[in-house]
Amino acid sequence: MRRPKWSKRWWLIAALPTVVALGVAAFVFAIFFRAQHTLDRAGAAVASEGHYAVELSTLGRMENPGFEAIASPATYVSGAWFEGKLYLSGPLGLFVYGSRDGVGSALLKSYRVGLDLPAAPLGAMVVGRLRDAGQPELLIATHGEGVLVFSGGVDRSDGLGSFRQIRPVDAEGRDVTALLPLPTGELLMGTARRGLLIYRGNSGHSADDLESFHPAFNGLAITALAADATGFWAGTRNHGLRHWHAGEVDTFEAGVDGGKAGSLPDNQVDAIAVRGNRVYAGTPLGVEEFDDGRPARVLARNLYANAVFADASGLTVGTMDEGIRRVALDTGRRPSVVSEFNATAELGDANNPAVQFLPSATEESNAKGETLFAVMRDGPRRKEAGGGWARLVTDSANGARLTDSNISALAFDGEGRLWVGYFDRGVDILSTGVHGVGAVEHREDDHLFCVNRIALDPRRGTMAVATANGLVLFDGQGHPRQVMTRRDGLIADHVNDVAFSGETMVTATPAGLTFVDGAGARSLYAFQGLVNNHVYALGVRTGDARTGEMLAGTLGGVSVLAREAVERNLTTGNSGLKHNWVTAIVPDTNGTWMVGTYGAGIMRLDRDGRFTAMDGATRTMVVNPNAMLATGSHVFAGTLESGLWVWSRATGRWRQVTAGLPSKNVTALAEHDGEIYVGTENGLVRIAERLME
């Protein structure tokens, strides 16, 4: 099952098309002074509405209770030159490269999310001077924690730069996707759901510090921002392009241009480049060229253009799956398109697009021909004189790495190997120990793709992997041996959970339950008494499925089963359950259960079928599907936005843990040899269970 929000994640984040050094920044400042009267009008228009409280703080190193990261592949989404160094941002943190042996060749410093920075993936970066700062700073968008402001200092003896945080109190205002600093010291902040905000920075405590910029942008998913000589352009996820100029907003959408067709090839705008009076908007179906604010023609038609850069002679386009293309901007209506970098041919991987283009850090280099750099998902490259793209830095991490960082399931097999399931990349099987990760075996195919749950069959020593495309059964050596779908007796192809009780395997699907053993496959659904067909989670006690107790957590409450039949149904109407959508269940002591919900946190279910609230943990909170784990000392619960929750049997209390996690979206849990493994949408960490007390 694809988690419900759960992440709406776009693995490719559109970054700002131009990140400028100080000399280029002066040009942006100058053109914005010409349009400043329009910004003043916007401020007056929203003076009575759209205000948001904002918190300002200075960041120090996070208090890590003892989490150790298991290496995930580093990916990058944005880059910027700052103080003569190349800064790269991505889901794992901020990485600083210097010129020890050449431009950007040596890693000088890294700042990790969850340790040095708040637990939120980093996104777009720009250099600008805010109202309360005496010099330009590096401004970094985050997906969930507002904006980070870095004042430099990598060369200090302690190796630490200075960070502060601009954090909107409103949660949706903290999901920042694009940034554009203004010469007045104000900052335009594009968000995923709140549209376009403007941070004025008057005092850090005033209601006027953060506002909606203009009603025309409210509620839009902003993807990119870029300034021109008259104002600025804003790209959106599904509503085309907006041009703010002279106090007015022009809207450009696919097939709509003041009643005329053809203003954009697609309503999703991933990148914007500005050069003189021409603007280029990259979309999944090509690049639209604007001349003096009017649509002119489509370039690179049908290419998925997620990064664009314009220079005097042409347009450089980074595509989603076809490498880097060069478009000659001649007077012809069909400009030529030439391949400069083919990701499949040069890397063996087409899934490695350029996400942003950067000019050189120095004005002198740009004057000689605008030396161009590409930030790609696996690192930066520099354009060579012959037209190729040379890698600038290499990944210096030692040891094996996971295939991906977006984790959806964890389990240990009988040999002590950790199985890691991914949101959309299949399964890794790896050995673990005190020295980290050993060999990693990856399994992925058309069925083994979107993984929901992994479970050990303790009697046979085999593993079952529940996916959105069927149930994949592995032998004891970790080789797939069978795929079960509806053709093989399951009630549905999509399997949310799988559990073993004695000789019986039970699968939970959006259409009901299926029991599988030597006698064949039998299904149970709402017509036979199940409270709701959509089953998300199974709770099983040790014993045989025909005699032992089992719970099915569904979209409509909990069904209590014995002997493969429904004994009773528990809902908000008859049991004290606070929310019918049940996402996770684990057995507790004395015949009780711990139950996680989508929206009401965690509750306890007693033998008599009564739910009771748990102090602190029964709250407005989403427990992720099957992200619960019970041990002899603790119960752990992973949540959508509230980190890890830990119940201590010794104290009888819950506590929230976020420090040390790479993300507050905790998606999977497992235990082995006294260590707890915590999977998130942004990586995997482990910690000794004794440190969680």
Side-chain angles (χ1 to χ4, degrees):
M1 172 191 94
R2 197 173 177 99
R3 298 182 182 277
K5 166 189 170 193
W6 298 99
S7 229
K8 45 177 190 356
R9 293 180 81 216
W10 289 81
W11 59 269
L12 178 65
I13 303 175
L16 294 175
T18 307
V19 179
V20 292
L22 298 184
V24 181
F27 171 75
V28 176
F29 286 174
I31 62 175
F32 251 97
F33 273 121
R34 295 172 56 186
Q36 185 54 42
H37 69 283
T38 65
L39 302 178
D40 293 336
R41 290 185 188 178
V46 298
S48 60
E49 59 183 16
H51 297 268
Y52 299 94
V54 64
E55 301 169 340
L56 302 182
S57 61
T58 300
L59 296 182
R61 187 172 176 83
M62 307 291 115
E63 291 293 333
N64 181 10
F67 287 103
E68 173 193 358
I70 294 179
S72 297
T75 57
Y76 306 99
V77 298
S78 186
W81 297 106
F82 180 56
E83 296 183 339
K85 302 174 184 63
L86 176 61
Y87 285 73
L88 298 176
S89 66
L92 298 181
L94 181 67
F95 303 87
V96 189
Y97 290 90
S99 54
R100 190 173 301 161
D101 300 315
V103 177
S105 62
L107 178 64
L108 302 179
K109 181 68 179 175
S110 62
Y111 302 90
R112 298 281 178 163
V113 300
L115 295 175
D116 309 293
L117 304 173
L122 306 187
M125 298 192 297
V126 294
V127 175
R129 181 179 303 180
L130 299 183
R131 178 170 291 172
D132 55 355
Q135 59 187 10
E137 298 172 296
L138 183 64
L139 310 175
I140 310 165
T142 77
H143 295 280
E145 287 292 331
V147 177
L148 303 181
V149 183
F150 180 65
S151 60
V154 170
D155 293 329
R156 286 169 27 182
S157 60
D158 59 10
L160 297 177
S162 174
F163 285 93
R164 66 184 193 277
Q165 183 179 11
I166 303 170
R167 187 178 189 272
V169 173
D170 173 64
E172 293 190 344
R174 295 198 294 267
D175 191 355
V176 182
T177 54
L179 298 170
L180 183 63
L182 307 183
T184 58
E186 296 166 316
L187 177 66
L188 292 180
M189 297 166 49
T191 70
R193 292 180 294 277
R194 287 291 186 204
L196 187 62
L197 308 179
I198 181 167
Y199 172 70
R200 302 194 183 280
N202 295 321
S203 66
H205 302 287
S206 167
D208 294 330
D209 280 337
L210 186 65
E211 309 172 35
S212 294
F213 177 75
H214 188 275
F217 298 90
N218 288 354
L220 298 178
I222 305 296
T223 55
L225 294 168
D228 68 1
T230 62
F232 67 86
W233 297 73
T236 74
R237 178 64 59 201
N238 49 27
H239 288 90
L241 193 65
R242 301 287 193 272
H243 183 205
W244 172 267
H245 63 106
E248 298 180 353
V249 180
D250 293 336
T251 298
F252 303 97
E253 297 186 7
V256 179
D257 177 17
K260 300 178 182 179
S263 64
L264 278 180
D266 192 274
N267 276 333
Q268 177 177 319
V269 177
D270 286 335
I272 306 170
V274 177
R275 185 170 184 87
N277 64 343
R278 294 184 182 270
V279 174
Y280 303 89
T283 81
L285 294 178
V287 180
E288 179 69 39
E289 181 184 47
F290 290 82
D291 187 359
D292 284 327
R294 299 177 181 177
R297 56 180 173 171
V298 177
L299 309 172
R301 189 179 293 275
N302 294 324
L303 286 181
Y304 195 139
N306 59 278
V308 292
F309 182 83
D311 57 33
S313 60
L315 191 69
T316 303
V317 180
T319 71
M320 180 72 79
D321 55 5
E322 298 185 50
I324 297 175
R325 300 299 181 93
R326 182 70 178 172
V327 182
L329 298 179
D330 51 29
T331 57
R333 301 305 296 175
R334 294 185 179 180
S336 60
V337 179
V338 179
S339 176
E340 287 194 338
F341 180 91
N342 187 307
T344 302
E346 299 189 40
L347 300 176
D349 180 12
N351 191 22
N352 182 39
V355 294
Q356 184 180 353
F357 293 111
L358 302 173
S360 171
T362 66
E363 293 185 58
E364 180 181 358
S365 296
N366 291 330
K368 293 179 179 180
E370 292 187 320
T371 301
L372 192 60
F373 298 82
V375 179
M376 305 191 74
R377 291 192 75 233
D378 71 345
R381 285 175 169 77
R382 177 176 51 199
K383 186 174 182 180
E384 301 288 271
W389 292 81
R391 186 185 294 273
L392 289 185
V393 300
T394 58
D395 193 344
S396 59
N398 297 320
R401 290 198 157 202
L402 301 178
T403 297
D404 199 12
S405 59
N406 195 353
I407 294 165
S408 57
L410 295 171
F412 279 89
D413 63 18
E415 302 298 321
R417 295 176 298 181
L418 178 62
W419 291 55
V420 182
Y422 297 109
F423 187 67
D424 57 2
R425 289 300 310 275
V427 169
D428 278 346
I429 308 171
L430 57 144
S431 58
T432 59
V434 295
H435 300 297
V437 177
V440 176
E441 300 177 53
H442 185 64
R443 306 277 190 268
E444 181 178 345
D445 57 36
D446 290 342
H447 290 282
L448 197 61
F449 187 69
C450 181
V451 176
N452 295 320
R453 182 73 150 168
I454 306 173
L456 168 69
D457 181 349
R459 294 201 175 190
R460 300 174 181 85
T462 58
M463 301 293 282
V465 180
T467 81
N469 304 303
L471 182 70
V472 184
L473 302 177
F474 287 75
D475 63 20
Q477 288 70 50
H479 301 295
R481 294 304 184 194
Q482 182 182 2
V483 177
M484 294 189 68
T485 63
R486 291 183 63 184
R487 295 182 307 175
D488 306 289
L490 299 186
I491 196 170
D493 290 339
H494 189 127
V495 183
N496 292 326
D497 196 5
V498 58
F500 293 88
S501 182
E503 295 292 334
T504 303
M505 179 178 69
V506 189
T507 63
T509 81
L513 300 173
T514 299
F515 302 85
V516 182
D517 57 20
R522 305 165 299 281
S523 294
L524 179 71
Y525 50 99
F527 183 77
Q528 297 158 302
L530 200 65
V531 68
N532 188 282
N533 279 335
H534 202 134
V535 185
Y536 283 94
L538 297 169
V540 178
R541 293 195 189 277
T542 303
D544 190 276
R546 294 182 180 275
T547 59
E549 185 181 23
M550 177 185 301
L551 300 187
T554 79
L555 189 62
V558 174
S559 287
V560 181
L561 297 94
R563 297 172 297 279
E564 299 183 14
V566 176
E567 285 195 332
R568 56 182 166 177
N569 290 320
L570 306 174
T571 68
T572 56
N574 66 7
S575 66
L577 183 62
K578 299 291 186 183
H579 201 300
N580 278 333
W581 191 342
V582 174
T583 54
I585 304 171
V586 292
D588 199 21
T589 57
N590 300 320
T592 63
W593 303 81
M594 291 285 193
V595 177
T597 71
Y598 186 94
I602 306 154
M603 302 192 73
R604 173 175 274 156
L605 175 62
D606 64 22
R607 290 174 177 268
D608 298 322
R610 292 189 299 265
F611 283 94
T612 57
M614 304 206 72
D615 188 25
T618 303
R619 53 188 292 171
T620 303
M621 182 170 70
V622 174
V623 177
N624 275 323
N626 296 305
M628 289 187 74
L629 171 71
T631 70
S633 302
H634 300 91
V635 175
F636 301 90
T639 70
L640 181 61
E641 294 178 332
S642 302
L644 179 67
W645 284 73
V646 184
W647 164 263
S648 168
R649 300 191 191 279
T651 65
R653 294 181 179 178
W654 286 94
R655 70 186 182 95
Q656 181 184 20
V657 177
T658 57
L661 297 177
S663 171
K664 292 181 182 178
N665 186 7
V666 176
T667 54
L669 297 158
E671 183 274 337
H672 186 67
D673 284 347
E675 291 192 309
I676 305 300
Y677 290 75
V678 183
T680 77
E681 69 170 354
N682 195 32
L684 175 64
V685 294
R686 66 179 178 179
I687 187 171
E689 185 175 2
R690 58 180 174 78
L691 298 178
M692 304 303 292
E693 191 58 61

